[in-house]
Amino acid sequence: MLDLKALRRDPEVFRASHASRGGDPGDIDAVIALDERRREAIGRMETLRADRRQMSKQIGQAKDADTREALKAQVAAFKGELQSLEELSRTLEAETQAAVAALPNLVADDVPRGTTEDDNVVIATHGERPTFDFEPKPHWALGTDLGQIDFERGVKLSGSRFYVLRDDIARLQRAVIFYLLDLHTRRGGYRELYLPFVVRGETLFASGQLPKFADNLYRDHEEDLWLVPTAEVPITNFHGDEILEGDALPLRYCAYTPCFRREKMSAGKDVRGIKRGHQFDKVEMYAFVRPEDSEAELEKMRADAEAACAGLGLPYRVKALCTADLGFGARKTYDLEVWSAGCGEWLEVSSVSNVWDFQARRAKIRYRAEAGGKPELVHTLNGSGLGIPRAMIAILENNQQADGTIRVPEALRPFMGGVEVIGG
RNA sequence: GGAGGGGUGGCCGAGUGGUCGAAGGCGCUUGACUCGAAAUCAAGUGAGUGGCAACGCUCCGUGGGUUCGAAUCCCACCCCCUCCGCCA
């Protein structure tokens, strides 16, 4: 959520930022107009409340019944007005909150301008794309031929966009998860969390998914709990409504969770294979930092995500997302894409974002810069490290051999119980 | 799921209709003492919001209600604890 005060003080900055994302700058003016009405109503309400409080005190102190009754009559005289002002204030407050909560984060100055995702900028490419003396197959063919990716049974159990992994490919997925958690806890200094996979609506509001993206979420109406679309959601609210001590920062966490997304919007897109399912696994990195440290932390987190790609032996490239492609809560984002030889495309395996104080304000995550000081909002950052299915696709496709077997990358062998070749 | 108890400031905890944003303690800040530290003593110290400011308003789990006035009374919900039931 944006800072309403800052928005009031400096509307032009927010208009420009909003417009650069393809939004209507008028949205900003609408919020400001609403906020003005809100403050005006609150001002009048507070004056009346102050009067009432004064008189109520006098009633309590009044010696005789006559004085008391006279004062009561005075209060009663403006009671109706006060009530309608309270009603109005409440309505305007809610409307203002909703309007502000619907605005995306402010764009960082160094984000490339753009109007479509084609304006994202590739800023680095690493690793060698594998070459083959045969025609490399896409992972769905490899997996099906090995009998280790079972699309039919996934559909039988749960419908389209669900699949079953079996045997060594199932194990390979587990190995990737183990490898990534070990990497981030040891190398990156992230503390591992095991989190609930279902959360309350408030938690989703705190991280920015609600109310805007409700239709991409699975929900249990019975208990009013929601399945997490990413570990970012529970980690954000992990420190929700807390005041952290300054010397505790930075706080870095990583977590493995499955992610559940209805993906209603993109029906028909990427239907082949395991690239885009309703359920997928991900290891997430997350950091709570002092505001002055968030830009450096973004680079660190990007390096941590890169280390994951490199460690798995995957060729990858880094993209700076342009203003038009930036996510709702992000101020600046790097996407990491790995090369996948079978389907011949770059696959997004990580998105690393500096969220600034956007989630911290929603989730009320603050810290004291120094003991006894005023609490201030922290900055939060999140990054995939990595999205598992896409990483799996690249591993399977890049390490395939002519006979349809798959070499297990060196880094994963410790977790594969001696298996060096899948299907061998 | 059933019965009972409870949710108060960074933390613990008192407070059952007005003078309560709230005793006391811990923690923290500053000062005194000390070569320094500890201990001790003194003062200060909740969050948010509106205002240039003076100052005002809101917040005692959440949301409603009663009342001139609610931390305190009523209703609903959420959460925690204890016991019973069930259970991987």
Side-chain angles (χ1 to χ4, degrees):
Chain A
M1 190 153 64
L2 292 174
D3 179 3
L4 185 54
K5 263 191 271 184
L7 194 145
R8 205 148 63 206
R9 196 181 325 119
D10 221 350
E12 194 41 53
V13 170
F14 288 84
R15 271 189 220 111
S17 167
H18 194 50
S20 78
R21 283 178 177 267
D24 176 3
D27 295 346
I28 305 292
D29 301 295
V31 169
I32 290 173
L34 197 55
D35 177 51
E36 245 165 63
R37 290 175 55 209
R38 170 189 147 261
R39 280 183 302 150
E40 200 264 338
I42 287 175
R44 288 198 288 143
M45 174 187 75
E46 289 185 351
T47 309
L48 282 186
R49 284 224 258 232
D51 291 349
R52 183 188 64 186
R53 171 177 267 199
Q54 279 306 107
M55 290 187 194
S56 291
K57 261 186 192 165
Q58 287 173 31
I59 292 172
Q61 288 161 351
K63 303 273 190 299
D64 61 295
D66 285 351
T67 320
R68 270 201 295 274
E69 290 311 313
L71 284 164
K72 279 192 196 184
Q74 276 187 55
V75 178
F78 61 74
K79 198 182 177 185
E81 190 187 354
L82 180 57
Q83 270 172 352
S84 61
L85 270 174
E86 281 176 336
E87 178 72 43
L88 178 66
S89 302
R90 208 177 310 160
T91 308
L92 288 173
E93 181 70 44
E95 283 177 19
T96 309
Q97 281 305 306
V100 177
L103 293 173
N105 201 357
L106 201 62
V107 173
D109 293 334
D110 58 349
V111 169
R113 310 285 117 175
T115 51
T116 73
E117 61 177 26
D118 298 329
D119 297 318
N120 295 337
V121 180
V122 176
I123 55 177
T125 305
H126 297 274
E128 292 296 314
R129 298 198 210 177
T131 51
F132 300 89
D133 47 17
F134 57 94
E135 185 63 30
K137 294 182 194 161
H139 68 283
W140 58 84
L142 290 166
T144 310
D145 291 349
L146 289 168
Q148 297 190 22
I149 303 181
D150 191 337
F151 294 101
E152 281 85 11
R153 289 214 173 78
V155 171
K156 178 167 78 180
L157 295 173
S158 306
S160 72
R161 290 179 186 279
F162 288 92
Y163 52 85
V164 176
L165 304 182
R166 311 177 54 154
D167 304 317
D168 284 341
I169 288 187
R171 180 165 204 161
L172 183 74
Q173 168 155 298
R174 179 155 55 87
V176 172
I177 294 163
F178 276 37
Y179 166 76
L180 291 170
L181 286 171
D182 281 4
L183 178 78
H184 296 314
T185 52
R186 286 178 193 160
R187 177 189 179 281
Y190 297 87
R191 296 166 67 177
E192 183 169 345
L193 298 176
Y194 169 79
L195 298 157
F197 302 158
V198 288
V199 295
R200 304 156 168 269
E202 299 141 59
T203 300
L204 284 151
F205 177 83
S207 54
Q209 269 73 19
L210 286 181
K212 221 175 169 167
F213 305 106
D215 56 4
N216 199 27
L217 300 169
Y218 288 100
R219 178 182 194 177
D220 167 38
H221 285 273
E222 201 103 7
E223 304 286 344
D224 198 23
L225 288 171
W226 307 65
L227 296 186
V228 296
T230 159
E232 177 195 335
V233 170
I235 303 179
T236 299
N237 217 20
F238 184 67
H239 287 300
D241 209 16
E242 291 182 16
I243 300 175
L244 306 164
E245 286 309 322
D247 53 18
L249 299 176
L251 281 168
R252 300 188 178 101
Y253 297 103
C254 65
Y256 154 76
T257 68
C259 304
F260 302 95
R261 299 184 186 178
R262 294 175 65 197
E263 303 283 7
K264 254 173 56 175
M265 334 283 267
S266 50
K269 202 180 165 196
D270 305 324
V271 279
R272 211 81 205 269
I274 65 172
K275 183 173 161 188
R276 189 185 291 271
H278 289 306
Q279 169 187 323
F280 66 95
D281 284 12
K282 181 156 61 66
V283 170
E284 182 79 358
M285 304 177 285
Y286 200 98
F288 301 86
V289 304
R290 292 167 175 258
E292 64 269 26
D293 294 335
S294 68
E295 290 189 38
E297 188 72 16
L298 179 68
E299 301 307 317
K300 179 204 181 292
M301 195 174 277
R302 168 188 154 187
D304 294 331
E306 288 191 38
C309 296
L312 291 168
L314 302 174
Y316 68 93
R317 64 182 190 182
V318 183
K319 271 182 173 173
L321 293 197
C322 75
T323 52
D325 207 25
L326 217 51
F328 179 73
R331 183 172 159 92
K332 179 177 176 180
T333 298
Y334 295 116
D335 271 8
L336 265 61
E337 297 177 334
V338 293
W339 174 256
S340 204
C343 40
E345 59 178 338
W346 292 97
L347 299 172
E348 182 194 329
V349 285
S350 179
S351 195
V352 183
S353 300
N354 188 354
V355 177
W356 214 251
D357 60 11
F358 192 79
Q359 287 174 329
R361 185 170 294 106
R362 287 173 99 104
K364 298 194 186 68
I365 309 164
R366 294 163 295 172
Y367 80 106
R368 288 185 209 280
E370 49 200 82
K374 279 275 165 200
E376 294 172 53
L377 295 171
V378 301
H379 281 189
T380 64
L381 301 98
N382 63 76
S384 350
L386 308 163
I388 307 299
R390 311 275 173 83
M392 288 280 286
I393 292 172
I395 291 167
L396 294 171
E397 293 185 1
N398 293 359
N399 293 291
Q400 64 181 292
Q401 304 184 99
D403 61 358
T405 62
I406 294 146
R407 279 180 297 108
V408 174
E410 208 63 53
L412 297 179
R413 290 189 187 174
F415 306 102
M416 287 298 286
V419 176
E420 296 183 3
V421 177
I422 293 173

